[in-house]
Amino acid sequence: MKTSIKFSIAALSAAFFLGSCGNNNGESSGSNGALRSSNAEKVYVAPGEYDEFYAFMSGGYSGNLTVYGLPSGRMFKEIPVFSQFPTTGYGYSEETKPMLNTSFGMVPWDDAHHPDISQTDGVLDGRWVFINGNNTPRIARISLKTFETEEIIEVPNSAGNHSSSFITENTEYVVAGTRFSVPVPQADLPIDQYKGNFKGALSFISVDKESGRMDIKFQILMPGFNYDLSHPGRGESHGWFFFTTYNTEEANSLLEVNASQNDKDFIAAINWKKIEEYVNNGGGTKMPANYAHNVYDEHTHTATSTMKKEVLTVNPAEIPGAIYFLPTPKSPHGCDVDPSGEYIIGNGKLSADLTVHSFTKMLDAIENKKFDGEAYGIPILNYEDVLAGSVKSGGLGPLHTEFDDQGNAYTTFFISSEVVKWKIGTWEVIDRKPTFYSVGHLMIPGGNSRKPFGKYVVAMNKITKDRYLPTGPELEHSAQLYDITGEKMELIYDFPTHGEPHYAAAIPADLIRDKSQKIYRLDENKHPYAVMSPDQAKVTRNGNEVHIYMSMIRSHFTPDNIEGIKVGDKVYFHITNHEQDFDVPHGFAMIGANNSELLIMPGQTKTLTWEPKQVGVWPFYCTDFCSALHQEMQGYIRVSPKNSTLDLTWTLDGE
Ligand code: CUA
């Protein structure tokens, strides 16, 4: 299976140069129709009206998840997930700092990748969205009721958590697959001992049906390849999960050449139901581990972080018949399964053709032992026996495929900068449209489920260049919206995205809009430092620790003036927002605090820590323009020298 890679690398480089040299893709943006008034109408959402879809776009290196409306492309919210976020105080407040705890301590940033919405019976149910942190391996669960990150679990034995966070069709599992193989358990090894000694952990994280609570059920310790992307089986193939691999050469240096030697790498087909049964019957090996599990409690508005000390691992050799390799040409990247669950598409990024495997043929090949060798004891199925067909795309650098509800597939091509529409079953190319420029992921609402909503496709482009007014050396990435209701795709809109979107997930707005939380009920607030009415406000001292129990309501803090604080104190402002109206948060900022402001939702309690360093009288204020008297929403702290004997005093309402 050896071939010369030199030609293809040279060809790809040349193609990239051409493809990234401007609007030379056959159509210019102007003639593409984006300016036509009929297209303008398609994306126009009149003032006060709502969009048809919520789109959740991964924020890539922002570490967060952004929420957009489709078709308008209006950004509604940035949900902080893996990164500190001063806009709300996430990761700065005492209540949310534990969300970012890991076995490496607090890691206040990550590289967010692939959001996926929870499903029931293979259809989007709109309860949660999951997303992976790629850098310090983590999976987060975000509530689609509160739009807050509720839980983050670290993934041990992993590095570069990339083939994640895809879910099975009843949200039984969210999957986290390592991109980089590493020593398992970690060890001080020479790097050139990679081959045969490093392992790739594929983690199956169970999701509680009611609470959504995550727990690592088992980790499969696979051969030391790179695990790139994955998708669940559905319908007939429900119970299986498919992962693309590259670097089956197990090279440890110059991967751009050395990991491209094999003509074919693999898609790993994993029968997770079989492995689940095996571990439910006591199979697998408990291995010592150390990983953080961070959970946000809606009633105390507080996160706790627990270190877990053990993980259940499964060696593929222990459970024959659970894992097979499907040979797939040219370092496959995307691994996508069509809505019926029959076809598994591997996008060989160094290839022009798309490889489509058949699930039925795969089962038949397994049954009849049509093997072409094995790798580390895992049978390799014979390529021709599992192949359903290949799409002669004519494009270069295929990455990802999504599906509509009419039996069509849409594949992005990074190098030739286009989206290609093709027919499932006949493999014929129906249409192709340029993207501006160098598209990575694409997304159709519900495209990773049994029931796509095939009205739009969003292309997420890596290079923006001349699409927007220049903003210095870097521009926000560009998303492009195509109408796919007709035979031919039609580019109807460009809009900027935040960070670097790696995939997105979208859902019809009417599936979640009416469940969206409006306030937190004050009478359900179980925060230990909450004050239920302003007359409960107080200040207490314990050594150099000062706790301020504060309330806020338009347009007043109680207490508003506090004396008796000293240099060297550690002051905790525990602030409860007494509003019970939708969309009336208040903010809190203290001069010289070495963190951010807080934004506190109606009925919520949040805590800001401040260590006063300078004697004087220092103000605090509300940061959110909450009423006509917002500028009056303020107070003072008198800070005395360290050795002062001044007692704590404070002012309640009307005093
Ligand atoms: Cu409260 Cu501004």
Side-chain angles (χ1 to χ4, degrees), residues 501-538:
H502 300 270
Y503 204 41
I507 183 167
D510 54 18
L511 291 181
I512 56 176
R513 186 185 58 217
D514 296 337
K515 297 175 196 153
S516 194
Q517 186 137 342
K518 301 244 175 359
I519 59 161
Y520 296 96
R521 285 182 54 164
L522 191 58
D523 59 5
E524 290 176 357
N525 182 331
K526 297 282 187 291
H527 192 293
Y529 289 95
V531 285
M532 289 299 139
S533 71
D535 58 11
Q536 293 172 357
K538 62 181 177 179

Side-chain angles (χ1 to χ4, degrees), residues 53 119-124 169 234 338-340 403-405 444-454 506-508 511:
F53 293 95
Q119 298 181 15
T120 301
D121 296 328
V123 179
L124 301 183
E169 71 173 25
R234 54 180 64 100
D338 85 306
S340 76
F403 308 91
D404 67 14
D405 45 358
I444 290 172
N448 172 40
S449 75
R450 279 160 74 164
K451 190 183 170 192
F453 302 86
I507 183 167
L511 291 181

